[in-house]
Amino acid sequence: MMMIPRRRDNFDLFDDLFSDPFFEKRENKLMRTDIKEKGDHYLIDIDLPGYDKDNIKISIDNGYLTISASMDKKVENEKEGKFIHQERYIGECSRSFYVGDTLKESDIKASFKNGTLKITLPKQKQEKIEKEKKYIPIDE
């Protein structure tokens, strides 16, 4: 039989167990991304499981494509129980990629399905366009 040493006067077995360094919370705000080159365009797949399409924003500004996503934290209700361990990420995260300063928002297509954001963008054009921040719509 293994004994877990008592660490506080206010003893709660689960609090002590999950405060052990083995269960240390390691938040990874990095969006897992795959980028493929295919013919005259690039395909970007970003895993965003648990996010709602309405909480994902894609913008282009000064040649940088920025993807940001947010997930609201639900207020814990004592009647529903108390978390003793939580690993699912809640908050905001973003990634930026330099795509060149000749792309405009109408050149970029995006869709979101089954927790994966898919972005298609052409390889960089030669003419230079205005450097104003633009948003890209996300299709179903």
Side-chain angles (χ1 to χ4, degrees):
M1 180 173 167
M2 185 174 144
M3 297 291 291
I4 298 173
R6 186 173 163 181
R7 297 185 182 157
R8 301 189 288 267
D9 292 333
N10 182 1
F11 181 69
D12 184 337
L13 177 62
F14 288 107
D15 284 345
D16 281 351
L17 177 66
F18 288 113
S19 66
D20 191 272
F22 176 77
F23 292 103
E24 182 178 313
K25 187 176 181 181
R26 293 182 185 107
E27 288 184 10
N28 184 359
K29 297 181 183 181
L30 185 65
M31 301 173 187
R32 295 175 190 248
T33 304
D34 293 334
I35 302 173
K36 298 176 202 168
E37 180 179 6
K38 187 174 181 182
D40 63 347
H41 61 279
Y42 296 103
L43 302 170
I44 302 174
D45 291 342
I46 303 173
D47 286 344
L48 293 169
Y51 286 86
D52 185 44
K53 176 187 147 195
D54 296 333
N55 292 333
I56 301 170
K57 302 288 183 235
I58 306 169
S59 64
I60 188 161
D61 187 27
N62 290 323
Y64 285 90
L65 181 71
T66 300
I67 299 94
S68 54
S70 63
M71 189 178 295
D72 297 329
K73 183 174 184 171
K74 295 179 181 172
V75 178
E76 187 176 322
N77 185 345
E78 282 293 323
K79 292 179 183 178
E80 294 178 11
K82 175 183 156 188
F83 280 112
I84 55 173
H85 183 73
Q86 187 174 14
E87 292 182 347
R88 293 184 294 167
Y89 176 73
I90 295 175
E92 284 189 31
C93 56
S94 68
R95 294 262 335 239
S96 291
F97 303 95
Y98 184 75
V99 295
D101 55 5
T102 62
L103 292 179
K104 52 187 175 185
E105 75 278 3
S106 61
D107 295 329
I108 302 168
K109 305 295 180 218
S111 64
F112 185 68
K113 187 175 181 182
N114 296 329
T116 301
L117 178 65
K118 294 183 177 289
I119 302 171
T120 303
L121 59 135
K123 292 184 178 176
Q124 190 169 7
K125 297 179 183 179
Q126 296 305 314
E127 74 273 1
K128 199 166 185 159
I129 61 162
E130 73 276 357
K131 292 188 176 188
E132 181 181 326
K133 186 174 186 174
K134 303 287 184 173
Y135 288 92
I136 290 87
I138 302 172
D139 298 331
E140 290 292 327

